[in-house]
Amino acid sequence: LLDDPDLKDIDPTILKHCHAAAATCILEAGKQKADISAISTCLEDCKLDKERIEQFCTEYQKNKDALEILLGSIGRSPLHITDVSWRLEYQIKNNQLHKTYQPSYLVTLNVENSDSGSHPDVSFSCTMEQLQDLVGKLKDAAKSLERATQM
Amino acid sequence: KLNVGVDTVQHGVEGLVYLLTESSKLMISEVDFQDSIHVLGFSDELNKSLLQLYLDNRKEIRSILGELAPRLPSYHSLEWRLDVQLASRSLRQQIKPAVTMKLHLCQNEDQTAQVLQTDPATLLHLIQQLEQALGEMKMNHCRRIVRNMK
């Protein structure tokens, strides 16, 4: 913003004030999910002329959805699962025990942290029965979600 | 009470332990066991007792040895909860559904619980992927390998 040739004649301090004011206005409007009429009224009270108000509102409308998505993603939440990978293996022997002959699954849940964006994945092993238990519980959660959306 | 030195008793016990753990580890058959101890030159009666001892304790010894193998944290259970986020400090008037879960894992007798969250779309994806994983054991490829590796 400070490098823009069109704005180089304006005092940089004033430019910063304007930028901050505009940003605050936009963020508040976004946070409150204000509609166009509310914004217009607010800007009228600030003694902006009609043309400027219209320009502002049009630009705001264009970017409203992106703004809401951005604001919605700010905030703390538990580790978020983004994907899962699995591996099926058949154990034959280990150094403590031979002829084990056991199938086992290795499941890795890829997780994301809302703050830093990376976190060691959660990995665990399980038997077929345990995996069935896990899938059963996840399906219960999904069914419950479906019922909730139909209410 | 046995009227022998401490060392002898210790060696005896150690020998017995080694015999039983090695036999159980390798899961040797009765015939192989008998052949192996035959070379020690004990009486028939003693050999029979040893064989019985092996057969009676084999399963338990194997399950204990199984605990010593390298292991990753294993699944214990899962609790879940349906949440809908209605507002946050940065955005009001939201409707954001989420599934919050508590994953219980065991690692070497310690139980850990981890709180995780996911959105509905990812939940369905997880279910689909894990069901595919379960289905693999029933496929011909896996069945053939399990059959042939006995």
Side-chain angles (χ1 to χ4, degrees), chain A residues 79-81 98 105 125 133 139, chain B residues 62 73 75 117 119 131 133:
Chain A
L79 293 172
H80 192 97
I81 303 175
H98 292 203
Y105 286 96
S125 68
D133 179 68
K139 279 167 117 167
Chain B
R62 279 180 72 79
Y75 173 79
Q117 200 181 63
D119 51 86
E131 277 188 321

Side-chain angles (χ1 to χ4, degrees), chain B residues 59-116:
Chain B
K59 207 164 174 210
E60 201 185 327
I61 296 175
R62 279 180 72 79
S63 81
I64 295 171
L65 288 175
E67 310 266 313
L68 296 170
R71 287 216 295 209
L72 288 147
S74 68
Y75 173 79
H76 185 257
S77 65
L78 181 83
E79 299 174 73
W80 59 266
R81 185 180 86 185
L82 219 50
D83 289 334
V84 179
Q85 182 167 310
L86 301 172
S88 71
R89 184 176 164 181
S90 39
L91 186 64
R92 313 279 191 261
Q93 296 176 40
Q94 299 178 38
I95 301 181
K96 202 167 164 191
V99 180
T100 308
M101 304 184 269
K102 203 167 185 183
L103 182 64
H104 294 272
L105 301 174
C106 298
Q107 168 123 50
N108 301 334
E109 287 142 22
D110 300 321
Q111 265 211 35
T112 59
Q114 184 136 40
V115 179
L116 302 162

Side-chain angles (χ1 to χ4, degrees), chain B residues 24-40:
Chain B
S24 304
K25 167 171 146 178
L26 299 167
M27 193 69 173
I28 60 177
S29 62
E30 278 186 42
V31 176
D32 287 337
F33 186 83
Q34 279 171 327
D35 288 343
S36 309
I37 58 177
H38 190 67
V39 295
L40 297 168

Side-chain angles (χ1 to χ4, degrees), chain B residues 10-26 28 33 54 61 65:
Chain B
Q10 188 174 339
H11 288 322
V13 172
E14 280 171 4
L16 210 54
V17 167
Y18 182 76
L19 175 66
L20 289 174
T21 42
E22 278 303 299
S23 312
S24 304
K25 167 171 146 178
L26 299 167
I28 60 177
F33 186 83
Y54 167 58
I61 296 175
L65 288 175

Side-chain angles (χ1 to χ4, degrees), chain A:
Chain A
L1 188 69
L2 293 170
D3 295 330
D4 194 316
D6 291 337
L7 301 169
K8 70 172 158 57
D9 293 329
I10 310 176
D11 177 11
T13 322
I14 297 187
L15 211 50
K16 276 195 191 153
H17 280 309
C18 291
H19 183 255
T24 313
C25 180
I26 294 169
L27 288 174
E28 263 313 297
K31 177 162 89 174
Q32 302 294 343
K33 287 212 168 172
D35 55 22
I36 292 296
S37 57
I39 301 175
S40 307
T41 320
C42 176
L43 294 176
E44 270 169 29
D45 290 343
C46 297
K47 312 264 193 334
L48 252 64
D49 57 66
K50 234 177 161 220
E51 205 188 295
R52 288 212 178 126
I53 293 180
E54 248 188 71
Q55 243 182 349
F56 187 87
C57 289
T58 319
E59 282 305 308
Y60 182 79
Q61 271 296 90
K62 265 198 262 173
N63 297 296
K64 189 163 91 108
D65 289 338
L67 179 66
E68 270 174 27
I69 292 173
L70 181 64
L71 286 173
S73 67
I74 299 173
R76 291 191 194 283
S77 70
L79 293 172
H80 192 97
I81 303 175
T82 52
D83 202 354
V84 66
S85 13
W86 55 268
R87 187 174 86 193
L88 171 59
E89 45 186 37
Y90 195 63
Q91 280 186 35
I92 309 172
K93 61 160 82 162
N94 56 61
N95 68 326
Q96 305 288 356
L97 201 55
H98 292 203
K99 302 193 188 166
T100 41
Y101 301 134
Q102 268 282 336
S104 90
Y105 286 96
L106 175 59
V107 178
T108 301
L109 297 170
N110 306 109
V111 289
E112 224 175 55
N113 212 334
S114 55
D115 306 325
S116 54
S118 76
H119 185 273
D121 294 330
V122 178
S123 291
F124 58 89
S125 68
C126 57
T127 63
M128 196 160 171
E129 291 76 28
Q130 288 168 332
L131 188 58
Q132 278 169 339
D133 179 68
L134 175 60
V135 174
K137 295 210 167 95
L138 291 177
K139 279 167 117 167
D140 287 341
K143 264 193 229 132
S144 172
L145 250 178
E146 226 190 286
R147 259 182 269 133
T149 57
Q150 285 164 0
M151 284 201 283

